[in-house]
Amino acid sequence: MKTKRWTYTLIGIVVAVGIYSFRGAKILNKNKHSHPTYSEFKGRAGQQGNAEEAAESTMQYGGKAIELPAFVQNARYPEQILHRTGYTVSYNSVTKLPNWVSWQLKADKTDGENERKDVKFCEDNEVPMERATPADYKNSGYDRGHMCPAGDNKWDRTAMRESFLMTNVCPQVHSLNAGDWNSLEQACRSWAVKYGSVYIVCGPILYRGEHQTIGLHKVVVPEAFFKVVLRMGASPKAIGFIYRNTNNNRPWGDYVNSVDEVERITGYDFFPALSDDIEKRVEASANLNDWR
C-alpha cells in the first residue's frame, strides 16, 4: 500500500509540475512582442476599452489588427500595451510617453455628439506610478498634444474621455499642435470619409542624445513626430509624415515621406499584417497626389 501511495504522490507531483510549466510558458509567451489576436482583444473586454470595437479590423487578416505595428524589442523602448475604446497605445514608462498610438478611423466615426468641452486631461491609472500628470505640462511652454485626436473620438463618450489620458499625450510646440499637426488630423478624417476607412499609427521620435524633459516626473520632449496612414480597397495606398517639434508652417510636401523611410527612422514595422506584396508596394513610395 505504501508503494502505491508513493506512486500516486509521484504522479501528482509530475502532473503539478507539468501544469505549472505549461502556465509559465503561456505567461512567457504572452510577454513576448507579438500581435494581439481577436481572442486576446476580447479577453480584455471591460478592462481596457471596447474590445469588440478594437478587434473589428482583425477579421480578414489572420487574426491580426492591420493598424498594429510590429513591436520593437529594445531596452530603450519598454512598453505596456493598453487597448482603449478608440485606439491602442504602446506606453513607455521611461519616457512617460506613448511609443506609438494606432487606430482604425471609419467614415461613420469622424463626427458625433460627444464634444471635447468639459473633458479634462487626467493621469492614466493603468500604468505604474512616476507617470505623467497634467501638472507636468503647466508653464512648460508645451501643449498637451494628443496622438489619437479628440476629433476622432466624438462618436463615443468613453472614447472621448480616454483620448485625454496622459498616455495618449506628448509635449508639443503650440504652433505645431494647433497648426500643421492639426491640419493633418483633419485631413485623415477627410480621407476616412472619402475612402470609407483609414488605418493610422503615430507617435514621438526621439533622436539619439540627451532629451529635454518637463515637469516633476521628467516627461521627455520629443524632437519630432511621425504619422503613417493606410487605406485599403481595390488600390491600397500608404503615406508617411514626419514633423519636427518646432514652430512649423510649411507646405504639405515638406513633411511627406514613404512609410519605408518612417520605418527606417523609428525602427517600427508598420502594417505587418498585410500580405508581403501589398506591404512592399504601398510602403515604398509616397505620392501626395494619391490622397488629394
Side-chain angles (χ1 to χ4, degrees):
M1 290 297 291
K2 277 187 178 181
T3 305
K4 245 183 184 180
R5 280 200 300 271
W6 274 107
T7 302
Y8 289 140
T9 302
L10 184 60
I11 291 171
I13 292 170
V14 170
V15 170
V17 169
I19 291 171
Y20 179 83
S21 300
F22 176 70
R23 288 184 65 193
K26 286 184 73 176
I27 291 169
L28 285 173
N29 285 335
K30 284 179 76 67
N31 286 336
K32 284 184 178 179
H33 295 301
S34 59
H35 293 282
T37 62
Y38 178 72
S39 58
E40 288 176 318
F41 274 121
K42 286 189 69 176
R44 291 162 177 160
Q47 297 178 10
Q48 295 179 330
N50 187 332
E52 293 288 345
E53 194 65 55
E56 190 172 333
S57 64
T58 69
M59 295 292 87
Q60 297 179 346
Y61 294 89
K64 296 176 181 178
I66 297 176
E67 68 273 18
L68 295 184
F71 304 150
V72 174
Q73 197 163 6
N74 186 321
R76 188 184 172 200
Y77 297 107
E79 67 177 5
Q80 178 182 353
I81 302 301
L82 301 163
H83 301 296
R84 305 304 186 195
T85 305
Y87 62 89
T88 299
V89 57
S90 164
Y91 172 69
N92 187 325
S93 59
V94 173
T95 62
K96 315 295 191 303
L97 303 173
N99 291 315
W100 50 258
V101 181
S102 68
W103 65 103
Q104 180 188 17
L105 182 60
K106 296 182 177 180
D108 61 358
K109 291 182 177 176
T110 55
D111 205 354
E113 298 178 355
N114 299 280
E115 297 292 339
R116 63 180 290 167
K117 62 181 180 180
D118 300 326
V119 182
K120 295 182 179 180
F121 288 98
C122 60
E123 290 182 55
D124 190 334
N125 294 326
E126 292 190 35
V127 301
M129 291 296 288
E130 292 303 311
R131 57 195 177 221
T133 70
D136 286 317
Y137 286 71
K138 190 174 181 180
N139 299 322
S140 70
Y142 290 93
D143 284 5
R144 302 174 186 105
H146 286 81
M147 293 295 96
C148 180
D152 287 10
N153 290 280
K154 292 180 180 179
W155 55 276
D156 182 86
R157 183 181 176 124
T158 300
M160 175 59 74
R161 287 202 309 266
E162 289 176 344
S163 74
F164 281 80
L165 290 170
M166 298 305 294
T167 43
N168 182 45
V169 169
C170 292
Q172 256 184 346
V173 169
H174 174 72
S175 64
L176 174 62
N177 183 33
D180 290 353
W181 186 256
N182 180 54
S183 295
L184 179 56
E185 291 172 344
Q186 294 181 42
C188 288
R189 287 190 281 275
S190 297
W191 294 334
V193 171
K194 182 176 182 179
Y195 301 113
S197 172
V198 290
Y199 299 91
I200 304 168
V201 191
C202 73
I205 296 175
L206 304 177
Y207 294 120
R208 293 188 181 278
E210 294 295 320
H211 307 291
Q212 180 186 349
T213 62
I214 59 171
L216 177 65
H217 299 103
K218 299 189 182 305
V219 181
V220 171
V221 177
E223 286 79 37
F225 296 92
F226 73 86
K227 182 168 284 190
V228 293
V229 186
L230 168 74
R231 74 175 195 250
M232 296 302 291
S235 180
K237 300 288 183 183
I239 192 167
F241 300 88
I242 293 178
Y243 290 76
R244 284 274 186 176
N245 195 14
T246 57
N247 292 308
N248 288 312
N249 184 14
R250 305 180 65 82
W252 270 72
D254 288 2
Y255 303 117
V256 172
N257 287 265
S258 68
V259 174
D260 280 342
E261 179 64 9
V262 181
E263 288 180 332
R264 184 190 68 78
I265 292 170
T266 63
Y268 298 121
D269 178 13
F270 299 110
F271 314 124
L274 297 176
S275 62
D276 289 343
D277 60 327
I278 294 177
E279 184 181 3
K280 190 176 294 185
R281 185 170 70 251
V282 301
E283 293 184 358
S285 63
N287 187 347
L288 196 54
N289 289 327
D290 290 335
W291 297 81
R292 292 197 186 280

